[in-house]
Amino acid sequence: MTAVPVVIGVRPPHAGPTAQSPGHAAVEAGLVDTHGRVHRDLRISLTDRCSLRCTYCMPEQGNEWLARTSILSTDEIVEVAEVAAALGIRTFRLTGGEPLLRPDIVEVVRRVSRIEGEDGPVEVAMTTNGISLAQKLPALIEAGLTRLNISIDTVNRQRFADLTRRDRLDDVFEGIAAAAASELRPLKLNAVAMRGVNDDELVDLVEFAMGVGAQLRFIEQMPLDAGHTWDRASMVTREEILASLGECWHLDPVEGRGGAPAEKWRIDGGPHEVGVIASVTAPFCGACDRLRLTADGQLRNCLFSNVEYDLIEVLRGESASAPGARSDGIAEMLRSCVHGKLPGHAINDPSFLQPARGMNAIGG
C-alpha cells in the first residue's frame, strides 16, 4: 500500500499547537479530531507474522511478509510512544500478527510501560493467540504488562485445527490457564463468530470463559482478510449472537461503555459478563478513541481506512538527525492522522472498499 505523504512541519488546519518533544514544556493540547473525539489509545503492531493461519485472516501459503528492515525497532517504537503519551495517549495495546513472535517482546513491554503520561505511567495491554504465552507471561508481567486479550474461536480440537490450520489448541489452553492464574484482570477472550463454523458453539465458548474467570467477547467477522473473501452473508450478527445466548441466560446491558469497542451484558445478574464487538451492524465510530501503528511504521486512524500516514520518513529520513526534528515530526504526523479521521468507517456504504492490507498487517 502506498503511504499518503504528509508534509512534516506544516500543521494541518485546526490541528492545534505543535507538540514539543519529550522533556520540553508540557504539551498544550491532546489528540482531538474534527468531530470532537479525544484519542487515548494507540495500538502498536509488532509484526505481521503469526503462528496460526486462520482461514478468515490469511492464506496458508503465499503470504508476502514485511521486509525485516522495514519493521520498527524497539527504539523507534518507544520514541513514538513517548510522543504519543505526551499528547494524551494513555493505553498502548501491543498486537500483530502475533506479538509474542517478536524476540524482544519483553523489552518492548518493559520500555513502553516506563513511559509517563499526564496521569502517570501508561497502561500496556496485549492481544495474543496465547501460543507460547505460558512460558513468557511471568517475564511480561514483571516487565509491566497490565492487561491481556487472548483469541480463541473454538474449544473443539478438530475445529481449531481446521480453522487455524495448526494443531495448537493445547498451547492456547495452556496460555489461557497461565493468564487465569495470574493477577491480570480483567482477562478477556476474543472469538470471531462465523456462520457454519462456530455459531453452534457460542454458549460453549461463554461457559469456557466463565470457567476460567474471563470475559468472552464475540466479534462480528469484518472485511479484513488478506484474501478479500469476506462475505456479509457468512457473518453472524450481534442480534444473532444475543439471541443464541439469550436462550440460556438472562442478559442485562452494562452501562458506561464509553469508548470501549465492546457492548457488555451481565449474565443472570452477574458476576459474569459477555461482550459483543459489532463493528459491522452496530458501529461505535462516534466514540472511537483509537489510532493504530503498523509494524512498518504507518499510522492509521481507522481499522478500515485506505489511508496511511508514513512515520518512516520522520524516523529514518534525512531530516531525522536534526535536533528536535524526530519528536516534532512524530507529533505533527500524529496530529495529521487524527485530523484526517472520518466520522465513521462506511462499511455499510455501497462505495466501501476493503483495505488492501489484511488484519495481520494492520494490527488488531
Side-chain angles (χ1 to χ4, degrees):
M1 180 184 296
T2 302
V4 174
V6 177
V7 180
I8 305 306
V10 178
R11 191 160 61 250
H14 313 300
T18 302
Q20 298 187 22
S21 58
H24 291 190
V27 174
E28 297 180 36
L31 295 169
V32 185
D33 67 17
T34 58
H35 308 282
R37 294 169 296 198
V38 181
H39 292 72
R40 301 183 178 91
D41 186 306
L42 178 61
R43 306 197 168 195
I44 302 175
S45 177
L46 301 182
T47 177
D48 63 330
R49 297 172 185 261
C50 189
S51 42
L52 300 176
R53 295 291 183 273
C54 295
T55 56
Y56 60 84
C57 186
M58 67 174 80
E60 183 172 14
Q61 304 290 341
N63 292 285
E64 295 184 7
W65 307 114
L66 295 171
R68 293 190 183 278
T69 54
S70 72
I71 302 294
L72 293 180
S73 68
T74 299
D75 285 344
E76 291 169 331
I77 289 170
V78 172
E79 189 171 7
V80 174
E82 287 175 341
V83 176
L87 287 169
I89 295 295
R90 300 175 183 172
T91 300
F92 295 92
R93 176 170 293 279
L94 306 179
T95 69
E98 173 46 52
L100 294 180
L101 288 181
R102 183 155 173 142
D104 62 346
I105 179 61
V106 174
E107 182 64 13
V108 173
V109 171
R110 188 182 311 282
R111 293 183 62 185
V112 174
S113 69
R114 291 176 177 173
I115 295 172
E116 294 272 344
E118 287 185 353
D119 303 320
V122 300
E123 183 176 56
V124 181
M126 182 184 296
T127 297
T128 172
N129 62 27
I131 295 174
S132 81
L133 179 62
Q135 294 75 34
K136 297 179 180 179
L137 187 57
L140 290 168
I141 293 174
E142 187 276 332
L145 185 69
T146 54
R147 285 194 289 118
L148 263 178
N149 288 20
I150 304 173
S151 300
I152 179 168
D153 298 319
T154 176
V155 291
N156 178 287
R157 188 174 310 281
Q158 185 57 53
R159 184 173 288 178
F160 183 92
D162 293 340
L163 181 61
T164 68
R165 304 184 179 108
R166 301 289 188 272
D167 186 13
R168 305 295 300 272
L169 184 58
D170 284 342
D171 296 314
V172 178
F173 282 157
E174 186 179 3
I176 292 173
S182 76
E183 66 269 30
L184 298 184
R185 291 295 184 276
L187 174 61
K188 298 174 182 177
L189 306 183
N190 294 342
V192 177
M194 293 163 280
R195 195 176 310 284
V197 177
N198 64 352
D199 54 339
D200 62 342
E201 206 177 344
L202 305 185
V203 169
D204 292 341
L205 283 162
V206 174
E207 289 180 335
F208 171 77
M210 291 192 295
V212 297
Q215 177 194 118
L216 201 290
R217 306 196 316 168
F218 290 107
I219 303 173
E220 286 184 340
Q221 189 175 359
M222 297 176 282
L224 290 168
D225 58 302
H228 289 207
T229 61
W230 179 81
D231 179 8
R232 183 182 294 270
S234 68
M235 182 189 72
V236 182
T237 68
R238 166 187 180 273
E239 295 305 317
E240 290 176 289
I241 293 168
L242 294 176
S244 179
L245 301 181
E247 293 179 1
C248 290
W249 300 294
H250 179 74
L251 303 177
D252 292 311
V254 177
E255 302 298 328
R257 177 182 181 181
E263 294 177 89
K264 293 190 294 185
W265 285 264
R266 192 170 293 106
I267 299 172
D268 284 346
H272 299 292
E273 296 176 346
V274 63
V276 179
I277 300 175
S279 298
V280 179
T281 65
F284 41 90
C285 303
C288 181
D289 64 352
R290 289 171 295 288
L291 299 173
R292 285 176 167 79
L293 177 62
T294 67
D296 58 345
Q298 304 299 309
L299 279 170
R300 300 173 65 93
N301 55 32
C302 177
L303 186 58
F304 303 99
S305 178
N306 276 297
V307 176
E308 295 185 338
Y309 296 77
D310 188 7
L311 273 177
I312 290 295
E313 180 62 27
V314 178
L315 295 168
R316 303 179 185 177
E318 293 182 2
S319 63
S321 60
R326 289 163 65 98
S327 55
D328 288 345
I330 293 167
E332 285 290 350
M333 195 66 79
L334 282 163
R335 290 189 183 281
S336 295
C337 182
V338 169
H339 178 75
K341 190 165 184 172
L342 299 175
H345 55 49
I347 283 179
N348 296 305
D349 190 285
S351 64
F352 174 77
L353 294 176
Q354 181 172 341
R357 292 196 195 232
M359 185 70 160
N360 68 299
I362 295 173

